[in-house]
Amino acid sequence: MLRPGQLFDDVVKDVLKDPEFGDVSESEAQAERDAILGRTQEAQTAYQHAVTRARLEFWLRRGLVAAGALPLLMLLTAAVTAGWSNVLKDALADGRPVSVWSIAGETLAGFLAFFGLAAAVAFVLWWVYYLLSRDARAGVPVAKGRQLLFSLGIPYFLLTPFCAVLIGVYPAHIAWQLQHNRPLPEDAAHSWEWFILGALVLAALPPLSLRRLASAASRESLSLSYLIAVLDTRERKQAEAQAKDEWREAVKQALLSFVRELISQRAGRLFSTVLAISDAPGLRQLRADREHVATRADRQLAMISAGMESGSIALSGPRGVGKTQLLRNFCKVDKGKLSLVEPVPVLFDRREFMLHLFYKLCDLVIKEGLGTAQEAERHKRSIRYLQTQSDEAALSAGWRSWNLSAKRASSLAEQPQTYPEIVDALKKFLGATALELRKEKKPRRLVIGIDELDRIEPAVSAHTFLNELKAVFDIPNCLFVLSVSDEALRDAELAPVGRRDAFDSAIDEVVRVEPLDQKRAERLLARRVTRLPIPFAALFYCLSGGMPRDLLRTARAAIAYVSQDQPRSLTYLTGKLVEREVDRIANAAGGSDEHAQLAQLFRRDVVADGGLAELGDLIHQQAGAGGDRARMGATLANRAYYLDTVQRIFTDALTLERFTDASDESDPGPFSALARAQREIGTADTLARSTLQRVRTAWSLPALPPAPPV
């Protein structure tokens, strides 16, 4: 098994070979080993589980071989000793030598007799179990496995004591006859009790160890499908290797994040209007939960959840703000909770989603080996299979042309559970599981995360989903954390006093997830890109509005314009990024024809004629002063004015003094206001126009025309 320290040492040596990280020593990385490994606890736990299961199944395979070979070996030993004793007795009585072929014949006859008897008993038991078990007749895998164990186990426990007695009796008979050189008297009874006891103990060890190993390895009942699967080592080796690779990659990414941030801290806030970075491997992965930058929402969620035994918490914020990352970071592997995160499909069906959530919860309980694991197996079978059983009995008797027959048949089909039955079963199972977690030596809490709820459109459908889901929100020691849309939050906050809508009645607490501020945006970029000049970090921050996902996308798009032999200036990259946004708006698909007509004004040839500021005026003229067309015009005009403002601010003429002032929130035209205006466009256009006007005034840019009344 690979140890964390050993893996970390290997990864450190591999990472620090890169010339990009030549300024960082191995001792500095080793000093942060515990913190870095702590970020990868989930991957480490998955690897440890895979290794533990592989080891247990290694011994389980040995146990299966022993359990299969031992009864045959005992049966052969008993047949040999019995045959030898009988042949020796007859030879001594007749005064003739012992024939090896006679012993072999007696042994074979005895072995076949014993084996045939055991096979006949197993055959009868197989059909008895088949007739008595509806699940076995329905072909349920677990029931088929139990049928096999039943039909083989009983003959095993009947045959092995019998063989143990023979192994203890007949060798004693052989020894007595060889010692006295005469046949054993009929009334003589000689046996070696220690041989019998030893054989019985030896026969009992494989089944007991097999059961324990199987329960520990599979966390489920010993089934035929599992016994067959465990004999194939390829799948387990692949699972262990995959878990090891995933853990190694997790440690590598966490270490790279630390090293890049350390280099950026040493370099300080580098001010330059020229970007020479042509390759940034850290930007190739836009999603990375291990690089989560803690915000006020993290602290608020931790504080609120610590004060709640059960209930529901909603994470609200615009798309791309990091709700999913916050949710998964909160629900990661933790000693104080058992967590499950499931996304909601866009086109959801309440019954299908409840069954899916139920099934995943059963998988988690079985994996953890909780006391409710057997109940989880029963629920999984009822979810997966719709059972139909048919029983038929016939009696027929006849003589020559006369025939008398009787027949009875019955068929039972299991009806699918109704939605109330599913909810009731899920609530009971959640309650039982939460109670098991509370009874542990170190009590834990069950946390269920429901992600991507804000993808359900329209907002009314999200309300309906919450109405359906809140039926399971009142389970003690069980906390639900959901990501919801801003629309749902606004509807709840604007509800009339004294009235509770679906959202307000389903959610106990709301945590608002805000976009990154400039400082945290720089920190996130520092974990991905080393020695990034701060004017470019501010440019990416403003264009993304502080949304983490868009921030990384913008940075990656900008660095793509830089080559090793051709650094790019701030003016050049700002122009390229603005052109990229202009093209995106001009080529935007969907929406009404009026929206498409106005968006076409963002074509390059139109913009080049008079610039983005004049484009905003043109859009207002084309949109008119009333109706939906005017509202669309206000949004697109603000977008043009916003891009014009960005292009005028982020130029090669930007000085360190002016940049420092704009990085301060108290400045009349800070970068944070420009990023806020980016987010306000389309949702609060009047406010966005006012914010842009204040920023342009602070930067001594031409004033914008007042927004026309809509």
Side-chain angles (χ1 to χ4, degrees):
M1 182 176 178
L2 186 62
R3 296 181 179 180
Q6 179 184 355
L7 175 64
F8 187 81
D9 293 342
D10 293 342
V11 173
V12 166
K13 293 177 182 178
D14 183 44
V15 168
L16 296 185
K17 289 179 181 178
D18 194 325
E20 180 185 2
F21 311 124
D23 297 340
V24 180
S25 65
E26 186 173 341
S27 59
E28 290 174 317
Q30 290 287 351
E32 295 293 325
R33 183 178 67 176
D34 293 339
I36 293 173
L37 290 175
R39 298 183 192 175
T40 63
Q41 185 64 41
E42 188 171 357
Q44 179 181 346
T45 302
Y47 169 72
Q48 290 172 344
H49 284 168
V51 171
T52 302
R53 179 164 182 169
R55 286 183 175 180
L56 289 171
E57 292 186 350
F58 171 81
W59 290 109
L60 180 57
R61 286 191 291 273
R62 298 297 184 271
L64 286 171
V65 173
L70 184 61
L72 295 177
L73 181 61
M74 291 181 66
L75 183 59
L76 182 61
T77 303
V80 169
T81 55
W84 188 2
S85 176
N86 293 332
V87 170
L88 180 60
K89 181 179 179 181
D90 294 340
L92 291 174
D94 298 339
R96 56 183 173 80
V98 176
S99 172
V100 176
W101 293 108
S102 299
I103 296 176
E106 287 282 343
T107 299
L108 180 60
F111 181 84
L112 292 177
F114 293 151
F115 186 81
L117 179 62
V121 173
F123 179 78
V124 172
L125 292 174
W126 175 280
W127 285 105
V128 168
Y129 192 95
Y130 181 83
L131 294 174
L132 295 178
S133 173
R134 292 188 303 173
D135 289 344
R137 294 195 300 273
V140 177
V142 174
K144 298 290 288 184
R146 290 173 179 170
Q147 181 184 11
L148 178 66
L149 294 177
F150 176 78
S151 57
L152 295 181
I154 292 181
Y156 178 87
F157 286 109
L158 292 177
L159 184 63
T160 50
F162 179 69
C163 291
V165 172
L166 296 183
I167 291 172
V169 171
Y170 281 105
H173 290 182
I174 295 172
W176 190 93
Q177 293 180 103
L178 291 175
Q179 181 181 2
H180 295 85
N181 197 26
R182 60 188 178 89
L184 184 72
E186 295 293 339
D187 57 347
H190 297 277
S191 64
W192 292 343
E193 289 79 5
W194 291 108
F195 270 36
I196 298 175
L197 182 60
L200 289 174
V201 172
L202 188 63
L205 286 178
L208 294 177
S209 59
L210 187 66
R211 175 66 182 178
R212 178 172 296 181
L213 285 170
S215 299
S218 65
R219 303 291 187 186
E220 60 188 20
S221 295
L222 194 60
S223 64
L224 175 61
S225 58
Y226 178 69
L227 288 177
I228 294 174
V230 80
L231 295 175
D232 186 1
T233 61
R234 291 174 298 177
E235 181 180 352
R236 303 306 172 201
K237 289 181 179 179
Q238 290 175 358
E240 182 179 352
Q242 182 179 356
K244 179 181 177 181
D245 292 341
E246 290 177 353
W247 183 27
R248 181 183 181 87
E249 183 63 22
V251 172
K252 181 178 180 180
Q253 293 301 325
L255 179 61
L256 287 172
S257 174
F258 162 74
V259 171
R260 291 189 183 106
E261 189 173 8
L262 179 62
I263 293 175
S264 299
Q265 289 175 355
R266 285 180 177 176
R269 302 185 75 202
L270 177 64
F271 183 87
S272 174
T273 57
V274 176
L275 182 63
I277 301 173
S278 59
D279 184 27
L283 291 175
R284 292 171 187 167
Q285 291 183 340
L286 291 182
R287 297 174 182 266
D289 297 340
R290 293 175 294 276
E291 298 177 6
H292 176 65
V293 177
T295 62
R296 186 176 65 88
D298 291 81
R299 297 189 295 272
Q300 188 178 1
L301 178 59
M303 180 181 65
I304 291 176
S305 63
M308 296 175 62
E309 181 192 32
S310 60
S312 56
I313 301 176
L315 305 179
S316 179
R319 292 182 181 177
V321 76
K323 298 189 295 296
T324 296
Q325 199 167 354
L326 173 59
L327 176 62
R328 295 188 179 276
N329 186 69
F330 178 74
C331 295
K332 65 183 179 181
V333 173
D334 191 289
K335 295 181 180 180
K337 55 180 176 283
L338 179 64
S339 305
L340 173 68
V341 179
E342 283 301 316
V344 180
V346 177
L347 300 176
F348 79 98
D349 178 87
R350 61 176 188 174
R351 185 177 183 278
E352 296 298 327
F353 180 77
M354 280 294 187
L355 286 175
H356 175 73
L357 181 63
F358 203 168
Y359 194 89
K360 288 295 185 180
L361 180 62
C362 291
D363 275 341
L364 180 64
V365 169
I366 293 172
K367 179 181 178 181
E368 291 290 323
L370 301 180
T372 54
Q374 291 186 352
E375 183 182 353
E377 291 174 16
R378 293 195 298 270
H379 286 306
K380 283 182 64 176
R381 290 197 300 271
S382 65
I383 293 171
R384 181 182 293 177
Y385 299 104
L386 179 62
Q387 298 180 4
T388 302
Q389 293 91 25
S390 298
D391 292 321
E392 183 175 309
L395 176 64
S396 179
W399 180 72
R400 294 186 178 180
S401 61
W402 299 91
N403 188 48
L404 178 65
S405 64
K407 184 177 182 180
R408 179 187 65 82
S410 62
S411 179
L412 299 175
E414 182 177 335
Q415 294 292 331
Q417 289 180 307
T418 63
Y419 182 73
E421 290 173 339
I422 295 171
V423 172
D424 183 63
L426 178 58
K427 289 183 66 174
K428 291 180 180 178
F429 184 69
L430 281 170
T433 302
L435 184 60
E436 284 290 328
L437 293 173
R438 180 181 288 180
K439 290 180 179 179
E440 293 179 345
K441 292 182 179 179
K442 294 183 178 180
R444 292 185 291 172
R445 179 167 57 175
L446 182 61
V447 178
I448 298 179
I450 307 297
D451 192 19
E452 298 183 354
L453 186 59
D454 54 351
R455 291 178 56 195
I456 300 179
E457 294 181 353
V460 177
S461 298
H463 281 213
T464 303
F465 180 83
L466 282 173
N467 263 333
E468 303 290 350
L469 195 62
K470 72 178 182 181
V472 296
F473 282 176
D474 58 346
I475 307 298
N477 202 40
C478 180
L479 181 67
F480 285 82
V481 184
L482 310 93
S483 63
V484 300
S485 63
D486 274 344
E487 290 79 6
L489 179 63
R490 284 196 294 268
D491 290 346
E493 291 177 341
L494 298 177
V497 178
R499 291 178 55 187
R500 294 170 61 83
D501 67 351
F503 180 88
D504 194 32
S505 62
I507 301 300
D508 297 314
E509 296 286 347
V510 176
V511 174
R512 174 72 182 177
V513 184
E514 298 289 350
L516 299 175
D517 56 22
Q518 185 179 350
K519 181 178 179 181
R520 288 186 172 85
E522 290 181 2
R523 184 178 179 185
L524 177 59
L525 288 171
R527 293 182 176 182
R528 302 296 192 96
V529 188
T530 58
R531 301 180 180 89
L532 178 67
I534 51 179
F536 294 93
L539 171 64
F540 305 155
Y541 166 66
C542 292
L543 285 174
S544 66
M547 300 296 182
R549 192 183 308 166
D550 292 337
L551 176 69
L552 298 178
R553 285 174 177 168
T554 306
R556 185 172 64 173
I559 291 177
Y561 291 109
V562 184
S563 60
Q564 270 188 336
D565 56 349
Q566 193 173 18
R568 298 297 186 180
S569 67
L570 182 61
T571 300
Y572 177 86
L573 284 181
T574 302
K576 286 296 182 180
L577 293 177
V578 168
E579 287 179 3
R580 176 172 171 265
E581 183 67 15
V582 167
D583 290 340
R584 190 189 67 82
I585 298 173
N587 298 325
S592 63
D593 292 338
E594 294 179 348
H595 180 274
Q597 292 174 3
L598 293 175
Q600 285 298 312
L601 296 175
F602 276 82
R603 296 197 316 270
R604 291 280 186 90
D605 54 344
V606 178
V607 175
D609 290 341
L612 288 165
E614 287 75 6
L615 175 62
D617 300 338
L618 177 62
I619 291 175
H620 274 310
Q621 295 174 8
Q622 297 293 327
D628 292 338
R629 185 179 176 87
R631 295 188 183 92
M632 296 175 190
T635 298
L636 292 175
N638 280 341
R639 183 66 62 190
Y641 293 138
Y642 169 79
L643 294 176
D644 178 72
T645 304
V646 169
Q647 197 165 16
R648 290 173 181 267
I649 290 176
F650 290 96
T651 64
D652 295 343
L654 181 64
T655 63
L656 175 60
E657 182 181 2
R658 187 66 188 96
F659 178 88
T660 304
D661 292 340
S663 299
D664 190 349
E665 291 282 349
S666 61
D667 188 79
F671 295 128
S672 59
L674 196 56
R676 187 172 63 252
Q678 156 76 341
R679 302 191 300 268
E680 292 170 348
I681 296 173
T683 57
D685 284 302
T686 302
L687 183 60
R689 179 69 62 87
S690 176
T691 302
L692 286 173
Q693 184 59 64
R694 290 197 302 271
V695 171
R696 292 176 72 93
T697 300
W699 285 84
S700 302
L701 300 179
L704 299 177
V710 178

